[in-house]
Amino acid sequence: MPAIHVPADSTDDEFIRTPSGVLVPAVIDPFHRALHHIAPSGLITQTSQTTGMSRREAISGKTVGAQSLWMGQTHVPASTNSGNHHHGASETAIYVVSGNPVFVFLEVDGDEPVERRVETAPGDYVFVPPWVPHREENPDPDDEAVVVIALTTQEAIVVNLDRLDWSEVDLSAKAGDADGC
């Protein structure tokens, strides 16, 4: 929203005066006028899950009133693979915090489908387009892999799959139909 200068004596119904005397747009409720800090101890695990990993929710509709963003952490223990899954219509951004997780998907544009592995290191980013079946693997025998994940939906869409292919992907499914939502 572009900055709007509102004279102090404005009586326009589009703005309200807060108890401190500041004029703000009337459509902005008190909860959405402040920054929200979520410390690591405030992350919650009551969110969509996939076997072999733990998602920890930080920013979402239910935690801070986010309207179009979900953000949290994913932890994959040493020598563990997650289940196959996708995130529905949500775009997914991943930042590798620690470990060397491998992101696996099925490349289908060649003559034959081929399982592809994206090997990562701390500081790397990965983009997962909507609907793409994938899984996370942590080949390290000693250390867990931790990533920060951001989704372009208010809540975590997670659709768990039996196989790493497109046969179970239902493009007509709504976010509320996803596992764990």
Side-chain angles (χ1 to χ4, degrees):
M1 170 185 262
I4 300 173
H5 174 71
V6 180
D9 59 354
S10 175
T11 58
D12 191 339
D13 288 339
E14 292 183 33
F15 294 88
I16 59 170
R17 191 169 299 281
T18 67
S20 66
V22 175
L23 284 174
V24 297
V27 297
I28 307 294
D29 64 90
F31 189 75
H32 289 96
R33 293 182 199 150
L35 301 182
H36 298 271
H37 173 233
I38 297 86
S41 62
L43 299 179
I44 59 174
T45 58
Q46 292 80 30
T47 190
S48 300
Q49 297 293 336
T50 299
T51 58
M53 63 170 40
S54 171
R55 285 190 190 87
R56 300 173 188 180
E57 185 171 344
I59 297 170
S60 68
K62 70 182 165 195
T63 62
V64 300
Q67 296 178 358
S68 54
L69 175 70
W70 185 97
M71 189 173 191
Q73 295 178 353
T74 299
H75 295 244
V76 179
S79 299
T80 302
N81 296 346
S82 78
N84 301 312
H85 63 280
H86 69 76
H87 300 287
S90 184
E91 292 182 318
T92 304
I94 299 168
Y95 174 75
V96 180
V97 175
S98 63
N100 295 95
V102 177
F103 298 86
V104 183
F105 70 102
L106 192 64
E107 188 174 295
V108 295
D109 289 330
D111 293 335
E112 295 288 327
V114 177
E115 194 172 279
R116 294 287 183 212
R117 302 171 58 77
V118 178
E119 297 183 9
T120 65
D124 287 352
Y125 292 85
V126 175
F127 173 70
V128 180
W131 308 105
V132 175
H134 62 282
R135 73 173 169 263
E136 288 83 33
E137 297 181 355
N138 182 5
D140 189 299
D142 300 314
D143 298 316
E144 95 175 330
V146 178
V147 303
V148 169
I149 182 172
L151 304 170
T152 58
T153 51
Q154 181 187 46
E155 297 301 331
I157 297 173
V158 179
V159 179
N160 294 308
L161 305 169
D162 291 328
R163 295 179 307 279
L164 188 65
D165 64 36
W166 288 82
S167 65
E168 297 176 68
V169 175
D170 180 2
L171 297 180
S172 67
K174 293 182 173 50
D177 296 337
D179 292 347
C181 288

